[in-house]
Amino acid sequence: MRCTVQKYMWGKFGCDSLVAAIAKNNDTDLTVTVEVPPAELWMGTHPSRSCLGAVYGMPPPGAVRRAVDGHPPLGPNGDGGGGSSTRLPFLFKVLSVRTALSIQAHPNKTLAAKLHREKPQHYKDDNHKPEMTIAVTPFEALCSFQKINSVLENCRACPELVAVVGREAVAAPAALHTSRLREAVVVPALKRVFTRLMTAEQARTVWELSRYLLHHLVLEPSRNCLGTVWELSRYLLHHLVLEPSRNCLGTVWELSRYLLHHLVLEPSRNCLGTALFLNANEPHAYLFGDCIECMAESDNVVRAGLTPKFKDVDVLCEMLTYDDGPPYMVPPLLIDGGAERYIAPVPEFLVDRAMVEAGGAVLLPASPFVSIVVVVEGRGEL
């Protein structure tokens, strides 16, 4: 198949881009410009970006759908996941991330159907979008809320954030240390802080950051909050001087570090390492690196902050689970034949990965439904 390439400002340029390298080997019609770099390589049958080109010698357009038409089962339920034998139940992607994506979450099926019905121009389908991310290079991401105690302590230790969300929002509830009623204590506390941050007036937030930097760099340098000062200085230099037209959207992302887990997914020589699974209604933002991403066949994204795309802040703040547990990590399982398997807790997809040494071989197991194989690096015989 000939794959579709999506270009966004957060993508990597030139030889640093895994997306560009695979697209070139895939004979994809890709023109790399200095204005908007390639960011995503799509493999699948989603109506927004269905793969084009020759499959088994068939001409475009719609070749992939014709190739799979009449050859069920494509998915675990004997269809394409959406009731059609011409649709794959999953969407497979390669991402090359240079700068942070928007803070976002994906709706469950009930909310997806509602959003698609009410705002079809922004939500192109009615499906949920659980997804799994596997690092190809060291891959950074923000995801899922830290424990409520850590969130409130982080916030109280960050004067500029307290000034933005309000002192009462970061005050620990009286029952925090004794109550086990998550819905009554943890969820309201996290929701209050997150919503205040997502809906804060950008100009006020930038003023608070500037005042904080002036105090700690000039008036009271002995306190040495170097990590925070460096991060905020870099942000202010970039968004206020180098790129003022972005309207300070990055402020929300910078301060979200105090609320969400910061992960670095590490690949290794013999295996890709642990994968990150993101279920419906979990906040996340990718920061840097190259990855393989597999998800249910959907393009539904609810965004807030750091994006020129459509933002739906109220929906995002209302839809989140506000779980304060650890991120959902998926370790690989070694299976017969030498491949590794990442099993997601959803029926639409799983991912196998094979590292073939020179002169060696790996047996790819039979798949329960139609598969897509992508060569990330090297050459070989299939």
Side-chain angles (χ1 to χ4, degrees):
M1 62 176 64
R2 293 185 66 193
C3 302
T4 303
V5 173
Q6 296 282 80
K7 298 180 180 180
Y8 301 115
M9 285 307 302
W10 51 261
K12 288 187 177 182
F13 290 97
C15 60
D16 291 332
S17 173
L18 179 64
V19 168
I22 294 180
K24 180 179 178 182
N25 290 336
N26 182 241
D27 194 31
T28 298
D29 185 16
L30 172 65
T31 302
V32 178
T33 66
V34 296
E35 289 82 14
V36 184
E40 298 182 350
L41 184 83
W42 283 38
M43 296 166 278
T45 55
H46 191 276
S48 294
R49 295 291 185 274
S50 182
C51 295
L52 304 175
V55 178
Y56 305 126
M58 294 188 298
V64 173
R65 290 195 178 188
R66 288 200 296 275
V68 300
D69 190 16
H71 295 279
L74 298 186
N77 299 319
D79 58 29
S84 169
S85 64
T86 62
R87 296 275 290 275
L88 296 174
F90 61 86
L91 185 57
F92 200 27
K93 293 183 182 179
V94 180
L95 270 62
S96 290
V97 180
R98 177 179 55 89
T99 61
L101 280 69
S102 58
I103 295 171
Q104 58 187 255
H106 307 301
N108 58 28
K109 287 190 175 183
T110 301
L111 180 58
K114 180 176 183 291
L115 293 174
H116 178 61
R117 183 172 61 253
E118 295 176 353
K119 305 173 185 178
Q121 70 276 27
H122 300 300
Y123 302 99
K124 304 296 185 181
D125 58 77
D126 61 358
N127 199 17
H128 68 161
K129 192 188 177 186
E131 63 186 28
M132 185 162 58
T133 303
I134 307 171
V136 178
T137 65
F139 193 80
E140 292 186 63
L142 295 177
C143 69
S144 307
F145 288 101
Q146 300 177 34
K147 295 299 291 184
I148 181 61
N149 288 332
S150 296
V151 169
L152 297 180
E153 289 171 6
N154 290 344
C155 291
R156 290 194 292 268
C158 181
E160 69 279 10
L161 197 151
V162 174
V164 171
V165 303
R167 190 170 300 277
E168 74 282 2
V170 298
L176 182 62
H177 300 288
T178 59
S179 175
R180 296 184 179 181
L181 300 177
R182 174 184 167 275
E183 294 296 328
V185 179
V186 175
V187 170
L190 287 176
K191 185 175 182 179
R192 183 165 54 249
V193 173
F194 185 79
T195 302
R196 292 275 187 91
L197 179 57
M198 292 297 111
T199 57
E201 182 184 354
Q202 296 293 337
R204 178 189 173 193
T205 306
V206 171
W207 160 247
E208 294 296 343
L209 295 181
S210 303
R211 188 165 63 86
Y212 172 82
L213 287 174
L214 175 66
H215 184 76
H216 289 290
L217 288 178
V218 180
L219 302 180
E220 198 176 338
S222 61
R223 289 188 60 180
N224 264 341
C225 304
L226 292 180
T228 303
V229 166
W230 160 245
E231 289 294 336
L232 299 180
S233 300
R234 180 172 60 84
Y235 162 74
L236 286 173
L237 174 65
H238 185 76
H239 291 284
L240 297 183
V241 180
L242 302 180
E243 203 173 339
S245 62
R246 290 192 64 182
N247 246 352
C248 311
L249 291 175
T251 309
V252 167
W253 172 77
E254 293 290 348
L255 296 181
S256 294
R257 288 174 174 266
Y258 290 89
L259 278 62
L260 307 178
H261 292 277
H262 179 213
L263 298 181
V264 180
L265 304 179
E266 291 282 0
S268 66
R269 182 175 181 273
N270 295 318
C271 71
L272 276 176
T274 303
L276 170 64
F277 177 76
L278 293 163
N279 215 331
N281 304 328
E282 288 298 327
H284 60 281
Y286 295 153
L287 307 182
F288 183 81
D290 299 281
C291 74
I292 296 292
E293 191 179 41
C294 196
M295 65 206 70
E297 193 200 31
S298 176
D299 193 27
N300 286 325
V301 182
V302 184
R303 301 178 182 87
L306 200 63
T307 178
K309 294 183 178 181
F310 173 71
K311 292 183 292 182
D312 218 341
V313 179
D314 292 340
V315 171
L316 180 69
C317 293
E318 192 61 34
M319 68 187 275
L320 299 183
T321 61
Y322 294 103
D323 285 331
D324 66 341
Y328 194 127
M329 309 306 294
V330 181
L333 302 175
L334 184 63
I335 55 180
D336 291 343
E340 294 161 339
R341 173 162 289 183
Y342 296 88
I343 302 176
V346 292
E348 287 92 344
F349 63 88
L350 55 80
V351 179
D352 291 332
R353 187 256 187 175
M355 171 74 80
V356 185
E357 299 291 342
V362 169
L363 177 64
L364 295 176
S367 171
F369 42 93
V370 168
S371 301
I372 294 175
V373 178
V374 57
V375 178
V376 175
E377 184 179 16
R379 301 180 63 85
E381 294 182 1
L382 179 65

